[in-house]
Amino acid sequence: MLYKRTILLALSVLVFSILPASAQQVSVKRFGSLQVTQQGQNWLVALPQLGSFSFQGTIAPLNLESKVQTEALARFPGYSVLRRIGLENVTLKLNGEGLSIVSRIDTRKHLKPIVRLFNIQAPFIEVTAQVAPGGLSLRGDLMFARRDLNLLLIPKLGTRLLVERLSLALDVGVELAGDDEPKISEEAKKKKKLINLDVTPVVSVQAAVKVQPTQWDKPLSTLTEFSYNLVSQELTLAGTMTDRWVNPLGLSRVFRNREGVVFENAAFEIGWIPGSPTPTKLGFGIETAKVLDLVFGALVDFSPTEGQLAFQAKINKLSFNDLANIVTRAFGKRMPNVIPGDLALHDVEVLFSPNGGKVGELEISQGFALKGEARLSKALNGKIDFTANFDDGLILSVEMNNSMRQLLLDKVRGHKALKVLVNRITSTLNLRRIAIDLKAMRSEFGGGVACDLTVFGKRVNFTLSGSFNPDKLVDSIIDKIVDLAGDEFKAAYRAVGNAAKAAGNKGKQVAMRAAREAGQMAHDVKTSVKHSGHSKNKCMKECVPRYANGQRRKMLDGTNEAVREFYLEARKEIRGIEGETVAQTRRLREMMLRDEWNDLLRDIDAKWKKVYDDDEVENYFVRGGSEKEARKKYRGLIDESWNSHKNYRNTLWSQLINAQ
């Protein structure tokens, strides 16, 4: 009987040890109420969405642990990443504060590239993850017992990362990170939420980082986050600068001791495969830039392999007063008072590169430049080109070639004189350069409008000083074209040219006749008078004047008639030549007649000179002193009539070119 009782007691103990005890309920943060069932020394816990696990420990207080293989986490959020980073010695911990994973990562395996980049010597990294049914947040300190890290990314530019705190991070699903975790930018969060971890397994590296974009910039505090692609091994850093970026990218060399350009809340992204000599990508997102308090949209472009960078800022509209203010405040130089202050500048671009570079396809030379369009009048536009180098100063030009050509041709078509040459001008006009030039250099200061053009195969260049006036500029260029059009006018007004030639020939014939008659008069006087019996006084008072008067009367009457004949012949045609103004009309008529007129005057003056040089009166006297006195008196009389003729012909010329 006793034997039977012993057997029944043993069986009952065995049965109770095999059969599950009754389930108990425990409260766990993020999971709510969980069912915990004791199985011998273990506790079986069903974790919603994650699976059931056997724990060891106590439930009052709740403190359970379970050592598992990584494969047991297959239903956990972010498993594709957990599997690839190579978790070892994985322990699940469950208490009232939640479910966590405690593990370590062998630095010589899956994280080897990133460990090498940050020069981490420890063989393992301890990591902890907080887990919820819909999310996971993993952290691991990468800089335990280390000093701050200084990474030189681009030696040619001096681009550096100054890392003060670094931790491995993986956030999946709901936000679980604590308040003491480094903050990341909203843009980085958006990018992270778009990543499909099953396709692109990435892990983040959260950091407290200062970025020194170039050797000319100060280190700037940032809110940053790295992402590390476990397949491609590419490390990408994205973040936002919390410091004001003053005179970025070497602009401090342009705006010495002044806040010329300021970036605020600049975003950046750096991509790097550890082991590569330079980053695979480097970009800065600058939505706006303040250029001396004016707000510009901005772009920055780096070329990591070439060690080049460039900056471009744009604004739709700017007044010249604004530009002049930029120049004065930024460079300490006042621009010459040439361009009206309210002149509108459009589509303005500020370009800068400390060593040459590109923004998109736009090549930017070393230095600071400003480009845009200036609307100088309703019909006249110009391209702005402003440059400033680091040492010498600045140059501003507004190139007007394209719009100026059409403006000039429109003016020619309505011009009284030039309209007959419109086809010829259109085919030969080449505006080599029409530009407003302003300079504020160390050795030169000033401004004006530089004009360089060719027309009719002839080149002319000149500079207009003073304040810019579009109408004055056009009129000045038109006047230069008129000045160059002499041969063209002669070809166009052939009748006038023919009349001028005919008038010149007729005048020469009349002058020739006058010279012959004067010569005959001299011969007659010379042969009819004997001076041997005359006293010196008689010859000086009577004979010399008689000899001079006969010739000068004939010459004066004849040469006056010669120029009068020219006047009458030319006047018939020249009245059809008119310019835009009285002065221009005079110039045009002078161009048409001057050559033939001057040719006639040379012919006339040559005949007067021959009479003037006649030394016959010297033969009237024996002594040398009397001879010189007689020659002087004779020439004075001839000069008197010759000058009278010159006055007469000048009057006729004035009447001719002003004829109505």
Side-chain angles (χ1 to χ4, degrees):
M1 190 68 180
L2 181 61
Y3 176 72
K4 288 183 178 180
R5 274 201 204 106
T6 302
I7 293 176
L8 288 173
L9 180 61
L11 287 174
S12 63
V13 171
L14 179 62
V15 169
F16 276 104
S17 66
I18 296 175
L19 293 175
S22 60
Q24 299 187 44
Q25 299 294 317
V26 295
S27 179
V28 178
K29 187 177 180 179
R30 302 187 188 93
F31 287 84
S33 181
L34 294 178
Q35 180 175 299
V36 179
T37 304
Q38 187 174 14
Q39 290 185 338
Q41 298 300 315
N42 296 333
W43 298 93
L44 182 65
V45 182
L47 299 173
Q49 302 180 31
L50 305 180
S52 295
F53 295 86
S54 180
F55 288 86
Q56 294 81 43
T58 65
I59 60 171
L62 183 61
N63 187 13
L64 299 175
E65 292 187 4
S66 176
K67 296 186 179 299
V68 298
Q69 298 298 315
T70 304
E71 291 75 9
L73 308 178
R75 295 169 62 183
F76 278 51
Y79 172 70
S80 60
V81 176
L82 298 176
R83 176 172 56 85
R84 288 180 180 273
I85 61 176
L87 294 178
E88 296 183 358
N89 299 337
V90 181
T91 300
L92 296 179
K93 291 188 175 184
L94 184 68
N95 55 42
E97 294 300 313
L99 174 67
S100 62
I101 301 173
V102 177
S103 181
R104 67 182 187 180
I105 301 173
D106 189 338
T107 59
R108 296 164 296 182
K109 295 181 179 179
H110 298 79
L111 295 182
K112 186 176 181 179
I114 193 172
V115 167
R116 184 170 63 242
L117 170 65
F118 293 115
N119 193 27
I120 296 172
Q121 303 297 326
F124 297 98
I125 296 173
E126 303 290 341
V127 295
T128 301
Q130 299 298 320
V131 185
L136 177 144
S137 180
L138 178 145
R139 296 291 183 271
D141 186 5
L142 294 176
M143 292 186 66
F144 46 88
R146 287 180 50 84
R147 293 179 298 174
D148 293 352
L149 189 64
N150 188 327
L151 294 177
L152 178 62
L153 300 183
I154 306 177
K156 289 183 180 179
L157 291 176
T159 305
R160 292 179 178 274
L161 291 182
L162 304 162
V163 184
E164 299 171 351
R165 182 173 57 176
L166 197 65
S167 62
L168 198 67
L170 173 65
D171 290 303
V172 183
V174 298
E175 297 288 344
L176 299 178
D179 294 336
D180 61 336
E181 298 294 345
K183 303 297 183 183
I184 64 174
S185 67
E186 291 301 320
E187 188 66 25
K189 287 182 180 180
K190 291 177 183 177
K191 288 184 178 180
K192 181 173 62 177
K193 289 179 180 179
L194 293 176
I195 296 174
N196 184 335
L197 294 175
D198 292 327
V199 177
T200 309
V202 295
V203 63
S204 297
V205 181
Q206 292 188 340
V209 174
K210 286 187 176 181
V211 176
Q212 185 177 8
T214 71
Q215 60 188 302
W216 304 287
D217 295 306
K218 296 179 179 179
L220 302 167
S221 296
T222 66
L223 297 176
T224 61
E225 180 169 300
F226 294 85
S227 64
Y228 177 58
N229 190 311
L230 296 165
V231 175
S232 69
Q233 305 298 309
E234 183 177 38
L235 181 67
T236 300
L237 181 151
T240 301
M241 296 179 183
T242 56
D243 285 343
R244 297 169 74 245
W245 191 359
V246 179
N247 294 333
L249 313 175
L251 279 167
S252 56
R253 299 166 66 192
V254 177
F255 303 105
R256 301 178 190 274
N257 302 317
R258 299 177 179 88
E259 287 195 2
V261 176
V262 178
F263 295 161
E264 294 182 346
N265 298 321
F268 64 95
E269 185 170 272
I270 301 171
W272 197 3
I273 297 178
S276 300
T278 59
T280 53
K281 59 186 176 184
L282 178 58
F284 287 86
I286 315 294
E287 291 185 0
T288 59
K290 287 185 178 180
V291 181
L292 293 170
D293 298 328
L294 296 173
V295 178
F296 285 68
L299 293 172
V300 174
D301 202 346
F302 277 75
S303 174
T305 55
E306 300 296 329
Q308 293 182 332
L309 63 87
F311 157 66
Q312 177 189 43
K314 293 184 177 182
I315 192 170
N316 291 333
K317 189 174 182 180
L318 195 68
S319 73
F320 185 75
N321 272 340
D322 291 329
L323 176 59
N325 185 48
I326 289 175
V327 171
T328 301
R329 292 179 57 190
F331 301 98
K333 297 180 182 293
R334 190 171 297 279
M335 295 301 292
N337 186 22
V338 174
I339 300 178
D342 59 353
L343 176 71
L345 310 179
H346 294 265
D347 299 326
V348 176
E349 293 181 322
V350 173
L351 308 172
F352 173 73
S353 178
N355 53 4
K358 294 173 68 176
V359 173
E361 297 301 316
L362 177 64
E363 293 279 356
I364 298 178
S365 302
Q366 181 183 25
F368 180 90
L370 183 145
K371 299 181 183 295
E373 182 178 295
R375 298 182 185 173
L376 304 167
S377 67
K378 290 183 179 179
L380 186 59
N381 296 330
K383 294 294 183 182
I384 307 165
D385 191 355
F386 173 94
T387 57
N389 61 34
F390 298 132
D391 300 313
D392 293 333
L394 51 91
I395 298 174
L396 171 66
S397 66
V398 183
E399 303 286 342
M400 297 175 283
N401 299 27
N402 294 336
S403 59
M404 176 58 71
R405 177 181 173 83
Q406 190 57 49
L407 203 60
L408 286 172
L409 293 178
D410 290 343
K411 187 81 171 181
V412 166
R413 292 185 182 95
H415 195 277
K416 289 181 180 179
L418 293 177
K419 61 185 177 182
V420 299
L421 303 178
V422 63
N423 291 335
R424 180 76 174 137
I425 293 172
T426 301
S427 63
T428 62
L429 179 62
N430 177 21
L431 301 179
R432 301 167 64 91
R433 186 167 188 262
I434 308 293
I436 301 172
D437 278 339
L438 305 178
K439 295 182 179 180
M441 311 295 283
R442 285 189 300 180
S443 59
E444 187 175 0
F445 180 88
V449 181
C451 302
D452 185 357
L453 60 98
T454 57
V455 65
F456 313 127
K458 302 171 185 176
R459 184 174 179 180
V460 63
N461 55 72
F462 61 97
T463 300
L464 290 177
S465 58
S467 182
F468 174 74
N469 183 309
D471 294 333
K472 179 182 176 182
L473 172 60
V474 172
D475 289 342
S476 297
I477 296 175
I478 290 292
D479 285 346
K480 294 295 182 181
I481 294 176
V482 170
D483 290 343
L484 296 173
D487 293 339
E488 310 299 323
F489 280 126
K490 289 178 182 179
Y493 293 102
R494 188 168 285 110
V496 177
N498 292 338
K501 288 182 180 179
N505 291 334
K506 192 170 185 178
K508 289 177 184 178
Q509 292 172 5
V510 175
M512 186 178 295
R513 185 175 71 244
R516 284 199 305 266
E517 291 176 355
Q520 185 61 46
M521 178 65 72
H523 179 267
D524 292 344
V525 172
K526 183 168 59 176
T527 57
S528 64
V529 179
K530 302 298 182 184
H531 304 281
S532 56
H534 294 173
S535 65
K536 172 192 172 184
N537 197 35
K538 179 177 176 65
C539 270
M540 196 66 71
K541 289 184 177 180
E542 297 179 9
C543 298
V544 171
R546 181 182 177 191
Y547 188 75
N549 289 340
Q551 292 187 83
R552 68 175 181 155
R553 278 195 300 269
K554 290 292 184 181
M555 284 298 294
L556 180 60
D557 291 343
T559 55
N560 281 356
E561 182 183 355
V563 293
R564 186 166 57 253
E565 286 292 338
F566 185 100
Y567 168 80
L568 294 173
E569 288 292 329
R571 189 172 183 274
K572 298 174 184 177
E573 300 292 343
I574 201 63
R575 286 183 296 182
I577 304 297
E578 282 191 79
E580 292 292 290
T581 63
V582 172
Q584 198 172 86
T585 297
R586 288 175 59 88
R587 290 207 311 276
L588 287 170
R589 293 181 178 182
E590 286 174 354
M591 280 191 287
M592 298 296 296
L593 301 175
R594 185 188 298 115
D595 290 346
E596 298 297 337
W597 174 257
N598 288 341
D599 190 43
L600 172 60
L601 298 190
R602 283 191 294 270
D603 184 75
I604 289 173
D605 287 341
K607 291 176 171 57
W608 274 104
K609 184 69 166 57
K610 185 176 180 181
V611 173
Y612 177 87
D613 290 339
D614 188 345
D615 58 2
E616 174 61 24
V617 295
E618 294 180 9
N619 297 325
Y620 295 177
F621 304 92
V622 177
R623 294 180 182 147
S626 298
E627 292 173 359
K628 291 180 180 178
E629 183 182 351
R631 183 171 66 246
K632 181 178 180 181
K633 184 168 186 174
Y634 169 79
R635 289 183 174 179
L637 292 171
I638 298 300
D639 256 341
E640 181 182 1
S641 295
W642 193 358
N643 287 333
S644 177
H645 163 72
K646 289 178 180 178
N647 290 335
Y648 178 72
R649 74 195 193 189
N650 287 341
T651 299
L652 280 185
W653 176 252
S654 178
Q655 292 176 358
L656 183 59
I657 62 174
N658 289 299
Q660 299 296 318

